[in-house]
Amino acid sequence: MQLPDDAQDALIAAARSSAPVRGLTHGFYKYPARFSPVFARAAIQAFTSPGDLVLDPHVGGGTTLVEALAAGREGMGVDISTLAEFVSTVKCRIYSEAELDRLEWWSDRVANAVDIHRPSIALTDYEELGYYKHLDHPDRWRMRKAIEQSIASAMKLGTPRLVSFGRCVVLRSAQWALDGRSKQATIEDFRRVLTETSKDMLQGARELRAAVKANGRHGVTVLRRSTAGIEHDDDVRGMRAPRLVVTSPPYPGVHVLYHRWQVDGRKETPLPFMIANKLDGSGASYYTMGDRKNPRLDNYFANIKASMSSVAAIANKDTVVVQMIAFSDARKQLPRYLEAMEACGLTEMMLPVLKEEADGRLWRSVPGRRWYSMQRGETPGSQELVLFHRKATVSPSQLQVHRGHPLPTNPAARGQSARA
């Protein structure tokens, strides 16, 4: 059954929205290539009902999980990155009023912890492992000390839940101060941003708490592992099928720094893992599903088949799979990507209202975004594509005749039971 036209229009408008990322806990960290919470929210509203399970198999910064939690859905996120696990978990945590009061007290004082005339804690284990890479320049010792002093202040919050929030404040503030900047931030600016960031994050945490209270609390689970083989995971076996899978997988042929910051002229540093108190146990190819030295992307497509085959294995006939993806060369890579989805047992669905537009698919322009393409170097912008799939009811070899099916509606949107 088709989605009503107004629901389709809402999905399209959300996908093409250029509104800045804000609200709830979305501002806790600027995870690379994150997609808009407006779109995640629209997909959740279109295809699920309260209490349904929403899965993001490439959870990244946790946008999907935050929106699922705020809407009264259950959420599960999967990512191989310890940094993604940290950020998503902190963003989805519901703090008590007493915890929020304690964090507010801390946010009023954290800037006072930064004083270059006082000593900082020595994170020698991380230093020996190379997590301070490219921060040992004489021009950066002040910022390094400021970050260490901020971490020490966060560690005094006591409980693991509060310490994680404090470390996330430092993570976001240090990202502002270091990542991709052409001009060094001053220590005074860093102190100011520490305070502003902690206040903003507190407001976001309160907003999420209020949304959960209004819509009924449901759980969120974050698994740090590869999505491939997830159907055999003890945390997944026996779990009911997700009603919605909404995700943004790594983009084929596009190099995005999920696991590094760029400092001092694009020198890559693993510092964010140190601030989060995590170890980076996976190389870049794990986060991008490929290798910059393999322009044919054989590894990428083998990995995306493995991960999406596992998604299909835990899905059922009612599961809708929504992916937002971009390509360095859509003409060559899109057909190959669609073939990979067919090989996974997923059949493409279409929005009928777009049947007169180009190829009938939902494209969005991302002006000003700079991708780092394996094939072409820097590109001035990007076109992203939203793909809709359902689990095939026939074998992959028979899927050709099923292309172009309209998307189903959410029964609850018509006043019917979601389980009818």
Side-chain angles (χ1 to χ4, degrees), residues 16-60:
R16 293 174 174 169
S17 172
S18 59
V21 175
R22 60 163 56 107
L24 299 175
T25 57
H26 294 301
F28 277 27
Y29 183 69
K30 288 190 175 181
Y31 204 84
R34 57 186 177 162
F35 60 86
S36 168
V38 175
F39 174 69
R41 187 180 314 137
I44 290 167
Q45 291 173 348
F47 298 118
T48 71
S49 298
D52 282 343
L53 176 63
V54 179
L55 169 68
D56 189 338
H58 306 283
V59 76

mmCIF file of all heavy atoms in Angstrom, residues 16-60:
data_model
loop_
_atom_site.group_PDB
_atom_site.id
_atom_site.type_symbol
_atom_site.label_atom_id
_atom_site.label_comp_id
_atom_site.label_asym_id
_atom_site.label_seq_id
_atom_site.Cartn_x
_atom_site.Cartn_y
_atom_site.Cartn_z
ATOM 1 N N ARG A 16 15.367 17.064 1.796
ATOM 2 C CA ARG A 16 15.968 18.195 1.099
ATOM 3 C C ARG A 16 16.117 19.430 1.981
ATOM 4 O O ARG A 16 16.524 20.489 1.499
ATOM 5 C CB ARG A 16 15.142 18.515 -0.146
ATOM 6 C CG ARG A 16 15.224 17.397 -1.197
ATOM 7 C CD ARG A 16 14.307 17.621 -2.367
ATOM 8 N NE ARG A 16 14.534 16.601 -3.397
ATOM 9 C CZ ARG A 16 13.737 16.395 -4.454
ATOM 10 N NH1 ARG A 16 12.650 17.142 -4.612
ATOM 11 N NH2 ARG A 16 14.029 15.461 -5.332
ATOM 12 N N SER A 17 15.791 19.298 3.231
ATOM 13 C CA SER A 17 15.900 20.435 4.154
ATOM 14 C C SER A 17 17.361 20.846 4.321
ATOM 15 O O SER A 17 18.254 20.008 4.456
ATOM 16 C CB SER A 17 15.302 20.057 5.513
ATOM 17 O OG SER A 17 15.571 21.067 6.466
ATOM 18 N N SER A 18 17.591 22.135 4.343
ATOM 19 C CA SER A 18 18.938 22.661 4.583
ATOM 20 C C SER A 18 19.057 23.263 5.978
ATOM 21 O O SER A 18 20.006 23.990 6.272
ATOM 22 C CB SER A 18 19.278 23.737 3.540
ATOM 23 O OG SER A 18 18.332 24.797 3.591
ATOM 24 N N ALA A 19 18.088 22.945 6.845
ATOM 25 C CA ALA A 19 18.108 23.482 8.200
ATOM 26 C C ALA A 19 19.336 22.969 8.939
ATOM 27 O O ALA A 19 19.734 21.812 8.782
ATOM 28 C CB ALA A 19 16.837 23.069 8.945
ATOM 29 N N PRO A 20 19.972 23.813 9.735
ATOM 30 C CA PRO A 20 21.155 23.372 10.488
ATOM 31 C C PRO A 20 20.790 22.304 11.505
ATOM 32 O O PRO A 20 19.646 22.230 11.975
ATOM 33 C CB PRO A 20 21.637 24.658 11.169
ATOM 34 C CG PRO A 20 20.425 25.537 11.233
ATOM 35 C CD PRO A 20 19.617 25.223 10.012
ATOM 36 N N VAL A 21 21.769 21.475 11.841
ATOM 37 C CA VAL A 21 21.553 20.431 12.841
ATOM 38 C C VAL A 21 21.486 21.081 14.214
ATOM 39 O O VAL A 21 22.443 21.708 14.659
ATOM 40 C CB VAL A 21 22.691 19.391 12.790
ATOM 41 C CG1 VAL A 21 22.527 18.375 13.916
ATOM 42 C CG2 VAL A 21 22.723 18.695 11.445
ATOM 43 N N ARG A 22 20.353 20.927 14.875
ATOM 44 C CA ARG A 22 20.200 21.511 16.212
ATOM 45 C C ARG A 22 19.074 20.797 16.935
ATOM 46 O O ARG A 22 18.323 20.023 16.382
ATOM 47 C CB ARG A 22 19.931 23.008 16.132
ATOM 48 C CG ARG A 22 18.674 23.392 15.374
ATOM 49 C CD ARG A 22 18.254 24.836 15.700
ATOM 50 N NE ARG A 22 19.310 25.784 15.429
ATOM 51 C CZ ARG A 22 19.319 26.637 14.413
ATOM 52 N NH1 ARG A 22 18.307 26.621 13.539
ATOM 53 N NH2 ARG A 22 20.309 27.484 14.249
ATOM 54 N N GLY A 23 18.955 21.075 18.225
ATOM 55 C CA GLY A 23 17.892 20.510 19.035
ATOM 56 C C GLY A 23 18.287 19.210 19.700
ATOM 57 O O GLY A 23 19.198 18.504 19.265
ATOM 58 N N LEU A 24 17.594 18.888 20.810
ATOM 59 C CA LEU A 24 17.861 17.682 21.587
ATOM 60 C C LEU A 24 19.359 17.590 21.866
ATOM 61 O O LEU A 24 19.978 18.579 22.247
ATOM 62 C CB LEU A 24 17.319 16.454 20.855
ATOM 63 C CG LEU A 24 15.796 16.440 20.613
ATOM 64 C CD1 LEU A 24 15.387 15.247 19.769
ATOM 65 C CD2 LEU A 24 15.037 16.458 21.931
ATOM 66 N N THR A 25 19.960 16.426 21.668
ATOM 67 C CA THR A 25 21.387 16.259 21.949
ATOM 68 C C THR A 25 22.212 16.179 20.673
ATOM 69 O O THR A 25 23.365 15.734 20.699
ATOM 70 C CB THR A 25 21.613 14.986 22.781
ATOM 71 O OG1 THR A 25 21.072 13.860 22.077
ATOM 72 C CG2 THR A 25 20.925 15.098 24.145
ATOM 73 N N HIS A 26 21.664 16.615 19.563
ATOM 74 C CA HIS A 26 22.353 16.494 18.277
ATOM 75 C C HIS A 26 23.633 17.326 18.205
ATOM 76 O O HIS A 26 24.517 17.039 17.398
ATOM 77 C CB HIS A 26 21.413 16.878 17.134
ATOM 78 C CG HIS A 26 20.263 15.928 16.970
ATOM 79 N ND1 HIS A 26 20.438 14.589 16.715
ATOM 80 C CD2 HIS A 26 18.919 16.135 17.034
ATOM 81 C CE1 HIS A 26 19.247 14.005 16.619
ATOM 82 N NE2 HIS A 26 18.316 14.914 16.813
ATOM 83 N N GLY A 27 23.745 18.346 19.015
ATOM 84 C CA GLY A 27 24.922 19.201 18.967
ATOM 85 C C GLY A 27 26.073 18.749 19.851
ATOM 86 O O GLY A 27 27.062 19.469 19.994
ATOM 87 N N PHE A 28 25.972 17.551 20.429
ATOM 88 C CA PHE A 28 27.022 17.096 21.344
ATOM 89 C C PHE A 28 28.367 16.904 20.641
ATOM 90 O O PHE A 28 29.410 17.013 21.268
ATOM 91 C CB PHE A 28 26.603 15.776 22.002
ATOM 92 C CG PHE A 28 25.709 15.944 23.211
ATOM 93 C CD1 PHE A 28 24.893 17.053 23.343
ATOM 94 C CD2 PHE A 28 25.681 14.985 24.203
ATOM 95 C CE1 PHE A 28 24.059 17.197 24.446
ATOM 96 C CE2 PHE A 28 24.866 15.121 25.311
ATOM 97 C CZ PHE A 28 24.051 16.228 25.433
ATOM 98 N N TYR A 29 28.333 16.573 19.361
ATOM 99 C CA TYR A 29 29.574 16.358 18.623
ATOM 100 C C TYR A 29 29.259 16.434 17.137
ATOM 101 O O TYR A 29 28.207 15.967 16.694
ATOM 102 C CB TYR A 29 30.178 14.982 18.967
ATOM 103 C CG TYR A 29 31.507 14.699 18.301
ATOM 104 C CD1 TYR A 29 32.649 15.401 18.663
ATOM 105 C CD2 TYR A 29 31.624 13.719 17.320
ATOM 106 C CE1 TYR A 29 33.877 15.142 18.067
ATOM 107 C CE2 TYR A 29 32.854 13.448 16.720
ATOM 108 C CZ TYR A 29 33.969 14.164 17.091
ATOM 109 O OH TYR A 29 35.184 13.914 16.501
ATOM 110 N N LYS A 30 30.150 17.035 16.369
ATOM 111 C CA LYS A 30 29.958 17.116 14.916
ATOM 112 C C LYS A 30 30.596 15.901 14.261
ATOM 113 O O LYS A 30 31.740 15.932 13.818
ATOM 114 C CB LYS A 30 30.563 18.409 14.369
ATOM 115 C CG LYS A 30 29.774 19.649 14.731
ATOM 116 C CD LYS A 30 30.276 20.873 13.968
ATOM 117 C CE LYS A 30 29.395 22.081 14.242
ATOM 118 N NZ LYS A 30 29.850 23.274 13.488
ATOM 119 N N TYR A 31 29.830 14.817 14.216
ATOM 120 C CA TYR A 31 30.334 13.594 13.588
ATOM 121 C C TYR A 31 30.336 13.790 12.077
ATOM 122 O O TYR A 31 29.370 14.311 11.514
ATOM 123 C CB TYR A 31 29.448 12.403 13.963
ATOM 124 C CG TYR A 31 30.153 11.071 13.861
ATOM 125 C CD1 TYR A 31 30.938 10.609 14.906
ATOM 126 C CD2 TYR A 31 30.055 10.295 12.713
ATOM 127 C CE1 TYR A 31 31.602 9.399 14.822
ATOM 128 C CE2 TYR A 31 30.718 9.080 12.615
ATOM 129 C CZ TYR A 31 31.490 8.638 13.676
ATOM 130 O OH TYR A 31 32.156 7.446 13.588
ATOM 131 N N PRO A 32 31.401 13.381 11.383
ATOM 132 C CA PRO A 32 31.493 13.623 9.933
ATOM 133 C C PRO A 32 30.347 12.972 9.164
ATOM 134 O O PRO A 32 29.909 11.861 9.487
ATOM 135 C CB PRO A 32 32.835 12.991 9.553
ATOM 136 C CG PRO A 32 33.618 12.957 10.824
ATOM 137 C CD PRO A 32 32.615 12.739 11.913
ATOM 138 N N ALA A 33 29.864 13.673 8.148
ATOM 139 C CA ALA A 33 28.856 13.150 7.208
ATOM 140 C C ALA A 33 27.561 12.748 7.897
ATOM 141 O O ALA A 33 26.830 11.905 7.396
ATOM 142 C CB ALA A 33 29.419 11.970 6.410
ATOM 143 N N ARG A 34 27.261 13.359 9.032
ATOM 144 C CA ARG A 34 25.998 13.047 9.710
ATOM 145 C C ARG A 34 24.835 13.561 8.883
ATOM 146 O O ARG A 34 24.932 14.569 8.178
ATOM 147 C CB ARG A 34 25.984 13.666 11.099
ATOM 148 C CG ARG A 34 26.186 15.177 11.099
ATOM 149 C CD ARG A 34 26.301 15.729 12.489
ATOM 150 N NE ARG A 34 26.569 17.159 12.447
ATOM 151 C CZ ARG A 34 26.390 17.986 13.463
ATOM 152 N NH1 ARG A 34 25.928 17.516 14.600
ATOM 153 N NH2 ARG A 34 26.667 19.260 13.358
ATOM 154 N N PHE A 35 23.708 12.856 8.961
ATOM 155 C CA PHE A 35 22.571 13.361 8.217
ATOM 156 C C PHE A 35 21.596 14.071 9.142
ATOM 157 O O PHE A 35 21.681 13.967 10.366
ATOM 158 C CB PHE A 35 21.883 12.270 7.398
ATOM 159 C CG PHE A 35 21.339 11.098 8.176
ATOM 160 C CD1 PHE A 35 20.078 11.132 8.732
ATOM 161 C CD2 PHE A 35 22.079 9.937 8.295
ATOM 162 C CE1 PHE A 35 19.564 10.048 9.413
ATOM 163 C CE2 PHE A 35 21.580 8.851 8.981
ATOM 164 C CZ PHE A 35 20.326 8.902 9.545
ATOM 165 N N SER A 36 20.680 14.787 8.538
ATOM 166 C CA SER A 36 19.827 15.694 9.283
ATOM 167 C C SER A 36 18.863 14.943 10.199
ATOM 168 O O SER A 36 18.207 13.989 9.776
ATOM 169 C CB SER A 36 19.024 16.557 8.306
ATOM 170 O OG SER A 36 17.991 17.239 8.990
ATOM 171 N N PRO A 37 18.724 15.391 11.451
ATOM 172 C CA PRO A 37 17.699 14.807 12.322
ATOM 173 C C PRO A 37 16.288 15.054 11.798
ATOM 174 O O PRO A 37 15.372 14.288 12.108
ATOM 175 C CB PRO A 37 17.930 15.508 13.660
ATOM 176 C CG PRO A 37 18.716 16.734 13.352
ATOM 177 C CD PRO A 37 19.530 16.401 12.146
ATOM 178 N N VAL A 38 16.120 16.098 10.999
ATOM 179 C CA VAL A 38 14.809 16.358 10.406
ATOM 180 C C VAL A 38 14.395 15.185 9.512
ATOM 181 O O VAL A 38 13.245 14.733 9.528
ATOM 182 C CB VAL A 38 14.833 17.667 9.590
ATOM 183 C CG1 VAL A 38 13.517 17.886 8.856
ATOM 184 C CG2 VAL A 38 15.146 18.847 10.492
ATOM 185 N N PHE A 39 15.359 14.653 8.758
ATOM 186 C CA PHE A 39 15.060 13.523 7.891
ATOM 187 C C PHE A 39 14.835 12.250 8.696
ATOM 188 O O PHE A 39 13.893 11.493 8.433
ATOM 189 C CB PHE A 39 16.195 13.310 6.890
ATOM 190 C CG PHE A 39 16.027 12.069 6.067
ATOM 191 C CD1 PHE A 39 15.018 11.983 5.126
ATOM 192 C CD2 PHE A 39 16.869 10.980 6.250
ATOM 193 C CE1 PHE A 39 14.844 10.835 4.376
ATOM 194 C CE2 PHE A 39 16.714 9.831 5.506
ATOM 195 C CZ PHE A 39 15.695 9.757 4.559
ATOM 196 N N ALA A 40 15.684 11.981 9.684
ATOM 197 C CA ALA A 40 15.501 10.795 10.523
ATOM 198 C C ALA A 40 14.137 10.831 11.199
ATOM 199 O O ALA A 40 13.419 9.821 11.253
ATOM 200 C CB ALA A 40 16.614 10.711 11.568
ATOM 201 N N ARG A 41 13.746 12.007 11.692
ATOM 202 C CA ARG A 41 12.452 12.163 12.355
ATOM 203 C C ARG A 41 11.295 11.889 11.388
ATOM 204 O O ARG A 41 10.326 11.204 11.739
ATOM 205 C CB ARG A 41 12.349 13.575 12.925
ATOM 206 C CG ARG A 41 11.136 13.844 13.800
ATOM 207 C CD ARG A 41 11.174 15.287 14.289
ATOM 208 N NE ARG A 41 12.496 15.626 14.775
ATOM 209 C CZ ARG A 41 13.116 16.772 14.512
ATOM 210 N NH1 ARG A 41 12.535 17.679 13.727
ATOM 211 N NH2 ARG A 41 14.313 17.010 15.007
ATOM 212 N N ALA A 42 11.405 12.406 10.170
ATOM 213 C CA ALA A 42 10.335 12.200 9.187
ATOM 214 C C ALA A 42 10.202 10.730 8.816
ATOM 215 O O ALA A 42 9.083 10.211 8.657
ATOM 216 C CB ALA A 42 10.608 13.043 7.944
ATOM 217 N N ALA A 43 11.325 10.033 8.658
ATOM 218 C CA ALA A 43 11.273 8.606 8.326
ATOM 219 C C ALA A 43 10.654 7.799 9.461
ATOM 220 O O ALA A 43 9.852 6.885 9.237
ATOM 221 C CB ALA A 43 12.678 8.100 8.008
ATOM 222 N N ILE A 44 11.016 8.139 10.699
ATOM 223 C CA ILE A 44 10.459 7.449 11.860
ATOM 224 C C ILE A 44 8.957 7.665 11.952
ATOM 225 O O ILE A 44 8.179 6.736 12.212
ATOM 226 C CB ILE A 44 11.179 7.908 13.144
ATOM 227 C CG1 ILE A 44 12.614 7.363 13.161
ATOM 228 C CG2 ILE A 44 10.426 7.470 14.391
ATOM 229 C CD1 ILE A 44 13.515 8.000 14.207
ATOM 230 N N GLN A 45 8.523 8.890 11.697
ATOM 231 C CA GLN A 45 7.093 9.194 11.743
ATOM 232 C C GLN A 45 6.335 8.503 10.614
ATOM 233 O O GLN A 45 5.197 8.064 10.791
ATOM 234 C CB GLN A 45 6.878 10.699 11.681
ATOM 235 C CG GLN A 45 7.335 11.440 12.939
ATOM 236 C CD GLN A 45 7.275 12.949 12.792
ATOM 237 O OE1 GLN A 45 7.104 13.485 11.691
ATOM 238 N NE2 GLN A 45 7.417 13.654 13.910
ATOM 239 N N ALA A 46 6.955 8.377 9.444
ATOM 240 C CA ALA A 46 6.271 7.801 8.293
ATOM 241 C C ALA A 46 6.115 6.288 8.391
ATOM 242 O O ALA A 46 5.098 5.734 7.960
ATOM 243 C CB ALA A 46 7.036 8.156 7.013
ATOM 244 N N PHE A 47 7.106 5.608 8.961
ATOM 245 C CA PHE A 47 7.139 4.159 8.839
ATOM 246 C C PHE A 47 7.026 3.388 10.154
ATOM 247 O O PHE A 47 7.015 2.156 10.131
ATOM 248 C CB PHE A 47 8.439 3.738 8.146
ATOM 249 C CG PHE A 47 8.580 4.265 6.753
ATOM 250 C CD1 PHE A 47 9.626 5.126 6.431
ATOM 251 C CD2 PHE A 47 7.672 3.944 5.764
ATOM 252 C CE1 PHE A 47 9.765 5.623 5.141
ATOM 253 C CE2 PHE A 47 7.804 4.440 4.477
ATOM 254 C CZ PHE A 47 8.849 5.287 4.165
ATOM 255 N N THR A 48 6.946 4.086 11.293
ATOM 256 C CA THR A 48 6.882 3.376 12.566
ATOM 257 C C THR A 48 5.789 3.931 13.465
ATOM 258 O O THR A 48 5.244 5.006 13.225
ATOM 259 C CB THR A 48 8.225 3.457 13.330
ATOM 260 O OG1 THR A 48 8.416 4.790 13.822
ATOM 261 C CG2 THR A 48 9.397 3.064 12.445
ATOM 262 N N SER A 49 5.511 3.161 14.506
ATOM 263 C CA SER A 49 4.581 3.574 15.558
ATOM 264 C C SER A 49 5.304 3.497 16.895
ATOM 265 O O SER A 49 6.341 2.829 17.019
ATOM 266 C CB SER A 49 3.365 2.641 15.573
ATOM 267 O OG SER A 49 2.668 2.704 14.349
ATOM 268 N N PRO A 50 4.792 4.168 17.936
ATOM 269 C CA PRO A 50 5.439 4.099 19.244
ATOM 270 C C PRO A 50 5.680 2.659 19.681
ATOM 271 O O PRO A 50 4.815 1.790 19.543
ATOM 272 C CB PRO A 50 4.437 4.809 20.164
ATOM 273 C CG PRO A 50 3.771 5.804 19.259
ATOM 274 C CD PRO A 50 3.634 5.105 17.937
ATOM 275 N N GLY A 51 6.884 2.419 20.206
ATOM 276 C CA GLY A 51 7.250 1.086 20.652
ATOM 277 C C GLY A 51 7.949 0.248 19.611
ATOM 278 O O GLY A 51 8.556 -0.779 19.938
ATOM 279 N N ASP A 52 7.893 0.634 18.338
ATOM 280 C CA ASP A 52 8.580 -0.113 17.284
ATOM 281 C C ASP A 52 10.086 -0.002 17.445
ATOM 282 O O ASP A 52 10.600 0.939 18.062
ATOM 283 C CB ASP A 52 8.182 0.414 15.902
ATOM 284 C CG ASP A 52 6.813 -0.079 15.446
ATOM 285 O OD1 ASP A 52 6.322 -1.066 16.026
ATOM 286 O OD2 ASP A 52 6.247 0.523 14.517
ATOM 287 N N LEU A 53 10.789 -0.939 16.845
ATOM 288 C CA LEU A 53 12.249 -0.941 16.880
ATOM 289 C C LEU A 53 12.805 -0.273 15.635
ATOM 290 O O LEU A 53 12.409 -0.608 14.504
ATOM 291 C CB LEU A 53 12.773 -2.380 16.973
ATOM 292 C CG LEU A 53 14.301 -2.551 16.917
ATOM 293 C CD1 LEU A 53 14.974 -1.869 18.106
ATOM 294 C CD2 LEU A 53 14.674 -4.032 16.876
ATOM 295 N N VAL A 54 13.741 0.666 15.830
ATOM 296 C CA VAL A 54 14.429 1.370 14.746
ATOM 297 C C VAL A 54 15.905 0.991 14.821
ATOM 298 O O VAL A 54 16.527 1.112 15.884
ATOM 299 C CB VAL A 54 14.256 2.895 14.868
ATOM 300 C CG1 VAL A 54 15.006 3.606 13.739
ATOM 301 C CG2 VAL A 54 12.784 3.274 14.851
ATOM 302 N N LEU A 55 16.466 0.569 13.710
ATOM 303 C CA LEU A 55 17.859 0.132 13.653
ATOM 304 C C LEU A 55 18.674 1.049 12.762
ATOM 305 O O LEU A 55 18.234 1.412 11.667
ATOM 306 C CB LEU A 55 17.929 -1.304 13.097
ATOM 307 C CG LEU A 55 19.325 -1.835 12.712
ATOM 308 C CD1 LEU A 55 20.200 -2.031 13.945
ATOM 309 C CD2 LEU A 55 19.199 -3.146 11.924
ATOM 310 N N ASP A 56 19.876 1.408 13.232
ATOM 311 C CA ASP A 56 20.856 2.100 12.399
ATOM 312 C C ASP A 56 22.134 1.263 12.402
ATOM 313 O O ASP A 56 22.872 1.259 13.392
ATOM 314 C CB ASP A 56 21.149 3.504 12.912
ATOM 315 C CG ASP A 56 21.996 4.324 11.942
ATOM 316 O OD1 ASP A 56 22.681 3.711 11.105
ATOM 317 O OD2 ASP A 56 21.988 5.566 12.032
ATOM 318 N N PRO A 57 22.421 0.545 11.314
ATOM 319 C CA PRO A 57 23.594 -0.341 11.284
ATOM 320 C C PRO A 57 24.915 0.376 11.054
ATOM 321 O O PRO A 57 25.965 -0.270 11.060
ATOM 322 C CB PRO A 57 23.270 -1.290 10.127
ATOM 323 C CG PRO A 57 22.411 -0.483 9.211
ATOM 324 C CD PRO A 57 21.592 0.403 10.111
ATOM 325 N N HIS A 58 24.884 1.687 10.817
ATOM 326 C CA HIS A 58 26.096 2.512 10.712
ATOM 327 C C HIS A 58 25.832 3.759 11.550
ATOM 328 O O HIS A 58 25.699 4.862 11.025
ATOM 329 C CB HIS A 58 26.385 2.876 9.255
ATOM 330 C CG HIS A 58 26.455 1.686 8.342
ATOM 331 N ND1 HIS A 58 27.548 0.852 8.284
ATOM 332 C CD2 HIS A 58 25.554 1.174 7.471
ATOM 333 C CE1 HIS A 58 27.334 -0.109 7.401
ATOM 334 N NE2 HIS A 58 26.133 0.059 6.904
ATOM 335 N N VAL A 59 25.794 3.611 12.868
ATOM 336 C CA VAL A 59 25.150 4.603 13.720
ATOM 337 C C VAL A 59 25.908 5.920 13.788
ATOM 338 O O VAL A 59 25.308 6.974 14.007
ATOM 339 C CB VAL A 59 24.902 4.019 15.121
ATOM 340 C CG1 VAL A 59 26.181 3.957 15.937
ATOM 341 C CG2 VAL A 59 23.841 4.823 15.859
ATOM 342 N N GLY A 60 27.242 5.910 13.611
ATOM 343 C CA GLY A 60 27.990 7.166 13.596
ATOM 344 C C GLY A 60 27.729 8.006 14.829
ATOM 345 O O GLY A 60 27.945 7.576 15.964
#
